[in-house]
C-alpha cells in the first residue's frame, strides 16, 4: 500500500512557477517552445470566474444535457445537465461539457495572452471544432490517460478543489502508446502503488484552486480528482506548437484538413509579423 505522499516522494514534480504575471514571452521562452509542463500557482489566482462560477450560476447557464460516460458500465452513457450532476455523488460519473461553450459563458473569461489560439481566432470561417471544456467531478473521478486533440497543447484552470496530475514526459510517448493498457490506471485514492510501479514514471503535481497547468501536446497525461473539482480547459495552437499539430494532420492522411491547418499556420505567422 503506497499513499499519495509516497507517490509524490517517489516521482519527479511538474515544474511550478509563482510568477505574478505571465507574459507571452516568458511563457514561450521557458515553457511553450520547450514543451515543458508547468503549474502556474500565482498568476491566475484572481480570475473572476473563480468567484462567479457558483453552482447556482452554472446550473442556470449549463442547461444542456451532456453525455456523461459511466466508467462502471461503458454501454450506458447518461444525459444530464450540470444541475442534475450536482444531485449525483458517484465516483464513476464525470461531468464534461461537449460542443461549443455558449457566448454567455465565453464572455466570463479572457484567454490569457500566452495561450492565444490560431485555430479559435481564425478569420477563415467559424471554427467547427470545440477546443474548450468545463469539467466538474467528485473525488475519484478523472480523465483516463490520453494525448490531447490534434496533439495540441492545453491550459487547465482549476476553480475549486484539488486535482492530481500525472504527466508523462514526451520522450516516453512512443513507448506508452505501444503499451497504453499498462498506463490506464484505475485510480485508488488510498493506494498509488500501481502508478509507482509503472516502468515509465509520470511527473506529478497537485493542482489547487487558482492554479493553471500547461500540458504540452506531445505528453500523455491522466488526471484524478482528489476532491470535488470544477475546472475550465482549452486547447491551443500557435507559434509554440503548430508543427506538432501539422504532423498530426499529416499522419491522419486527410489532405483537406491538412491544407486548412497549413492555411491557419500561415495566417498565424502573418499576424505575428504584423504585430512586430
Ligand atoms: O481535468 C481533467 O479531467 C482533464 C483535462 C484534460 O486532460 C484534458 O481536457 O485533456
Amino acid at each position: 500500500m503506497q499513499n499519495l505522499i509516497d507517490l509524490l516522494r517517489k516521482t519527479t514534480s511538474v515544474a511550478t512557477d509563482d510568477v505574478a504575471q505571465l507574459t507571452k514571452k516568458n511563457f514561450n521562452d521557458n515553457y511553450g517552445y520547450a514543451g515543458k509542463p508547468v503549474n502556474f500557482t500565482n498568476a491566475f489566482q484572481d480570475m473572476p470566474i473563480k468567484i462567479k462560477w457558483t453552482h447556482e450560476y452554472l446550473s442556470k447557464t449549463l442547461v444542456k444535457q451532456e453525455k456523461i460516460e459511466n466508467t462502471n458500465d461503458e454501454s450506458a452513457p447518461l444525459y444530464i445537465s450540470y444541475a442534475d450532476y450536482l444531485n449525483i455523488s458517484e465516483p464513476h460519473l464525470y461531468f464534461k461539457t461537449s460542443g461549443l461553450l455558449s457566448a454567455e459563458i465565453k464572455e466570463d473569461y479572457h484567454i490569457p495572452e500566452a495561450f492565444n489560439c490560431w485555430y479559435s481566432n481564425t478569420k477563415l470561417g467559424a471554427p467547427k471544432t470545440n477546443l474548450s471544456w468545463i469539467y466538474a467531478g467528485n473525488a475519484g473521478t478523472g480523465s483516463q490517460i490520453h494525448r490531447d486533440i490534434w496533439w495540441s497543447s492545453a491550459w487547465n484552470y482549476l476553480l475549486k478543489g484539488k486535482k492530481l496530475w500525472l504527466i508523462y514526459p514526451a520522450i516516453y510517448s512512443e513507448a506508452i502508446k505501444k503499451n497504453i493498457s499498462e498506463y490506464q490506471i484505475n485510480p485508488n485514492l488510498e493506494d498509488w502503488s500501481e502508478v509507482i510501479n509503472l516502468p515509465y514514471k509520470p511527473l506529478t503535481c497537485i493542482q489547487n484552486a487558482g492554479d493553471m497547468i500547461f500540458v504540452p501536446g506531445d505528453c500523455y497525461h491522466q488526471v484524478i480528482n482528489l476532491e470535488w473539482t470544477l475546472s475550465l480547459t482549452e486547447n491551443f495552437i500557435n507559434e509554440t506548437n503548430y508543427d506538432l499539430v501539422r504532423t498530426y494532420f499529416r499522419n491522419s492522411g486527410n489532405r483537406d484538413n491538412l491544407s486548412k491547418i497549413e492555411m491557419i499556420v500561415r495566417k498565424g505567422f502573418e499576424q505575428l509579423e504584423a504585430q512586430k
Side-chain angles (χ1 to χ4, degrees):
M1 185 100 153
Q2 309 226 38
N3 63 25
L4 188 56
I5 309 276
D6 295 322
L7 173 65
L8 298 175
R9 236 192 11 238
K10 291 180 179 172
T11 50
T12 303
S13 302
V14 171
T16 57
D17 190 327
D18 65 357
V19 66
Q21 279 196 325
L22 182 66
T23 63
K24 187 167 178 61
K25 179 162 172 33
N26 176 350
F27 172 75
N28 282 3
D29 289 354
N30 292 300
Y31 307 105
Y33 289 124
K36 180 177 175 179
V38 57
N39 183 16
F40 294 104
T41 54
N42 191 10
F44 302 102
Q45 286 297 330
D46 294 330
M47 274 177 86
I49 52 174
K50 216 172 127 200
I51 309 285
K52 181 166 184 184
W53 284 9
T54 58
H55 289 328
E56 195 189 355
Y57 175 76
L58 290 180
S59 297
K60 280 195 214 130
T61 324
L62 299 178
V63 287
K64 193 175 146 208
Q65 308 267 307
E66 302 288 356
K67 181 177 167 197
I68 307 296
E69 302 295 335
N70 183 343
T71 49
N72 264 8
D73 177 0
E74 282 172 16
S75 64
L78 282 179
Y79 289 83
I80 54 176
S81 66
Y82 185 82
D84 297 334
Y85 184 72
L86 294 181
N87 293 320
I88 303 175
S89 167
E90 299 274 356
H92 41 270
L93 298 178
Y94 193 21
F95 182 87
K96 176 184 177 184
T97 55
S98 60
L100 300 170
L101 294 181
S102 69
E104 187 183 359
I105 281 275
K106 282 273 196 185
E107 269 171 23
D108 284 345
Y109 63 94
H110 295 290
I111 296 166
E113 194 204 353
F115 307 128
N116 77 305
C117 177
W118 288 349
Y119 176 77
S120 302
N121 295 338
T122 179
K123 307 266 185 305
L124 299 170
K128 293 206 178 73
T129 301
N130 169 52
L131 296 184
S132 316
W133 296 268
I134 295 172
Y135 288 87
N138 297 300
T141 58
S143 298
Q144 194 41 276
I145 188 165
H146 65 282
R147 275 177 78 174
D148 278 354
I149 178 167
W150 306 339
W151 296 351
S152 60
S153 301
W155 56 269
N156 181 298
Y157 183 64
L158 187 61
L159 291 87
K160 289 187 192 351
K162 279 186 198 300
K163 281 178 189 280
L164 172 70
W165 285 80
L166 310 178
I167 304 181
Y168 295 85
I171 192 79
Y172 300 157
S173 289
E174 275 311 304
I176 291 175
K177 186 171 154 197
K178 286 196 189 114
N179 212 356
I180 192 80
S181 57
E182 197 175 352
Y183 291 85
Q184 285 165 342
I185 304 296
N186 286 319
N188 173 347
L189 299 186
E190 310 303 319
D191 183 8
W192 295 94
S193 21
E194 208 181 336
V195 181
I196 291 169
N197 294 330
L198 285 170
Y200 292 102
K201 310 265 184 292
L203 305 173
T204 53
C205 163
I206 293 184
Q207 181 187 26
N208 294 298
D211 291 354
M212 172 83 84
I213 298 242
F214 161 63
V215 186
D218 46 3
C219 293
Y220 276 96
H221 53 283
Q222 174 164 6
V223 178
I224 300 110
N225 294 313
L226 299 174
E227 298 175 353
W228 162 266
T229 63
L230 175 66
S231 61
L232 167 68
T233 184
E234 292 202 357
N235 282 70
F236 64 93
I237 303 163
N238 64 22
E239 68 277 18
T240 61
N241 65 346
Y242 70 92
D243 204 31
L244 196 56
V245 174
R246 205 161 50 175
T247 303
Y248 171 89
F249 282 104
R250 278 195 188 122
N251 293 348
S252 79
N254 182 328
R255 300 205 64 76
D256 196 32
N257 282 345
L258 178 60
S259 71
K260 281 186 195 140
I261 281 296
E262 300 270 22
M263 201 144 42
I264 285 168
V265 168
R266 247 193 329 272
K267 290 275 168 210
F269 275 112
E270 278 170 22
Q271 266 169 321
L272 268 189
E273 273 305 307
Q275 284 160 10
K276 276 187 186 164

